Amino acid sequence: MDKYLVGKNIRLRCKKSYPDAHTHIIIGQVLEETAKYIAVKGRTFHFNRIIDQMRSQIHSGDNMIRIIPWENVEVIHWISEITDWNVDIAFDSNGNLVLNDKAKTVIAQKRDGME
């Protein structure tokens, strides 16, 4: 298997495995990819429908390695090499949830479950 994503920064959205699940986004760097899983070092972001751009509705995890089975991966976006997932979060002028890094990396676009 080619290791196309190893070393790349990505935004990964996981499938929801139960009806009341939150949106689950991981932003980080791919350390390993196999036929069964992808390993990403980065942060998670969990949220339901965000109302009035309230940051208290977003829960972010610690910076750590997470191993995600491919069957749980919904979509992967290849993002900027200068992404800094350790920074604070914010809402941009369009209402998108972003990392407050130099690239203003989008965590979730307004249409991804936000008002």
Side-chain angles (χ1 to χ4, degrees):
M1 175 176 172
D2 290 336
K3 303 217 182 250
Y4 180 73
L5 294 171
V6 171
K8 304 282 193 299
N9 288 341
I10 63 167
R11 179 180 64 236
L12 182 151
R13 187 171 65 211
C14 295
K15 290 181 186 176
K16 301 174 189 180
S17 58
Y18 50 94
D20 294 336
H22 291 82
T23 299
H24 186 93
I25 304 284
I26 301 169
I27 294 183
Q29 185 177 59
V30 177
L31 301 179
E32 185 177 356
E33 59 183 301
T34 72
K36 295 192 182 261
Y37 66 84
I38 184 168
V40 180
K41 182 176 184 180
R43 281 175 68 195
T44 57
F45 301 90
H46 308 269
F47 48 90
N48 257 339
R49 188 173 185 85
I50 299 174
I51 300 168
D52 297 329
Q53 298 181 358
M54 292 178 57
R55 290 175 41 138
S56 63
Q57 298 170 332
I58 301 128
H59 305 284
S60 62
D62 292 332
N63 188 10
M64 61 176 40
I65 298 170
R66 291 170 175 85
I67 299 171
I68 303 99
W70 281 112
E71 62 263 16
N72 289 356
V73 174
E74 193 170 72
V75 66
I76 295 176
H77 296 103
W78 186 355
I79 58 176
S80 173
E81 293 177 8
I82 62 169
T83 300
D84 181 0
W85 51 85
N86 294 306
V87 298
D88 201 6
I89 60 174
F91 288 95
D92 68 12
S93 60
N94 296 319
N96 299 319
L97 178 62
V98 299
L99 292 171
N100 208 10
D101 63 351
K102 201 177 244 189
K104 298 297 182 202
T105 303
V106 174
I107 299 168
Q109 293 179 334
K110 184 176 180 182
R111 63 178 161 73
D112 287 344
M114 295 187 201
E115 287 278 311

